[in-house]
Every structure is written in structure tokens, then in C-alpha cells.
Amino acid sequence: MKGIIFNLLEEVVTHQFGANTWDDLLDASGLDGAYTSLGSYADEEAFKLVAAASAALKLPPADVLRWFGRSAMPLLAQRYPVFFEGHDSTRSYLLTLNSIIHPEVRKLYPGAATPVFDFDATDAETLLIGYHSERKLCALAEGFMQGAADHYKESMQLKHPECMHNGAAKCLWELKFSK
């Protein structure tokens, strides 16, 4: 996993809970916390940090990942405004994940393993999103989607009827948006 993810996690934890909390999570997970944005780190390190946060907050790991994704989105919008420009809705933004955002991520962070999405946008009211990733971080992806809806000042109804954690080949979300 790329170091930028760890950097974002440190920032949102520190911002919302303080630097001591980040240090406590590192101690609880047995990690040193020396992450550079371009570095590559074992996925297990991220999973250990999520597990430590889960134990500290008494929340399921999926809830921690959703919180992280949603909380990190404003930082991403600040750092990479070009990804958000030209979009007036969450739907428009999400539809660029495979074609614009993830190719740029792979340019900025060589070796980044990004998830693959598929979309069914034929219904003007509902956006269907399929997700596949070996990491199975669907809760993080969901948090990023919620953060994007916050960014575009939209309400989002989200259903997750199929999940890789329940044996599905990919995750499937049904999204509906309103201003």
C-alpha cells in the first residue's frame, strides 16, 4: 500500500483526536509510523492500524475504514483539486475513477494498486457501482464515496447488496443522490 494512505490516516487521526492518539495507535499496532508518501508498505500495516483504532473506539473495522475514507476526502480535494474540477455532482466525479483519477494516481504514485470499478449509469436516478480489489477495502471505498457526496453537498442513499466479504465476486453499490 502506498504511503500516501498512511499519511492521510495520520492526518485525519491527528486532526480529529490529537497527535497522542496517532502515537497510541502506532504503539498498539507495533509500528514505527515512518511513512513517506511515495513509499510502499505492507497492507498488513494498514490493517494493524485499523484493528488498533477499532479496538480503541470499540467500532467494527469496517466503520473505521468508512470514517477514514469520508474524513480523508477533504484533504484529497485540497491536494488534488484538478480531480474535482469540472464536476458538479458526486455521480459525475465517481464516473471518472477508472478513466481519470486512478490513472493519475498511478502516475503520481508508481506501483499503486488501485481498485477496479464498473458502472451502470443508464438509470438517471440510480448509479450502480461494481468494485473489485484484492484488498477488499470496500468499506474504505464507501467512505470515499460518502466524502465525495459531502464535497458536492449532496445527500447519498447507499445500498451494498453484494459484497466480496460475503462471497460475491465483486461488491455492488446502488447509489441515489439529492442536493
Side-chain angles (χ1 to χ4, degrees), residues 25-157:
L25 290 178
L26 291 171
D27 290 344
S29 59
L31 301 171
D32 66 15
Y35 301 107
T36 63
S37 64
L38 295 176
S40 294
Y41 305 92
D43 292 351
E44 283 306 311
E45 292 192 34
F47 298 143
K48 285 180 181 181
L49 286 166
V50 169
S54 173
L57 297 170
K58 297 179 179 42
L59 290 172
D63 288 351
V64 172
L65 286 167
R66 280 185 205 91
W67 165 82
F68 168 48
R70 191 172 200 167
S71 299
M73 191 55 77
L75 295 173
L76 292 169
Q78 269 182 335
R79 288 187 184 148
Y80 308 104
V82 69
F83 292 156
F84 296 83
E85 293 169 0
H87 302 287
D88 61 356
S89 70
T90 310
R91 179 184 180 107
S92 171
Y93 170 78
L94 292 175
L95 288 170
T96 67
L97 288 171
N98 289 333
S99 60
I100 296 174
I101 295 171
H102 285 158
E104 288 299 317
V105 166
R106 287 188 295 273
K107 284 182 198 172
L108 291 169
Y109 303 100
T114 58
V116 176
F117 294 92
D118 58 78
F119 303 96
D120 181 345
T122 55
D123 180 342
E125 300 295 317
T126 304
L127 176 62
L128 298 176
I129 300 179
Y131 164 92
H132 181 74
S133 170
E134 295 298 318
R135 292 184 176 119
K136 297 183 181 180
L137 291 173
C138 50
L140 179 60
E142 201 171 290
F144 282 135
M145 287 186 262
Q146 292 167 335
D150 293 344
H151 177 80
Y152 291 102
K153 298 178 179 31
E154 294 179 312
S155 295
M156 182 177 71
Q157 293 178 336

Side-chain angles (χ1 to χ4, degrees), residues 9-28:
L9 181 59
E10 179 180 3
E11 276 190 68
V12 297
V13 167
T14 300
H15 176 73
Q16 290 191 24
F17 299 104
N20 289 339
T21 301
W22 176 248
D23 291 338
D24 292 344
L25 290 178
L26 291 171
D27 290 344

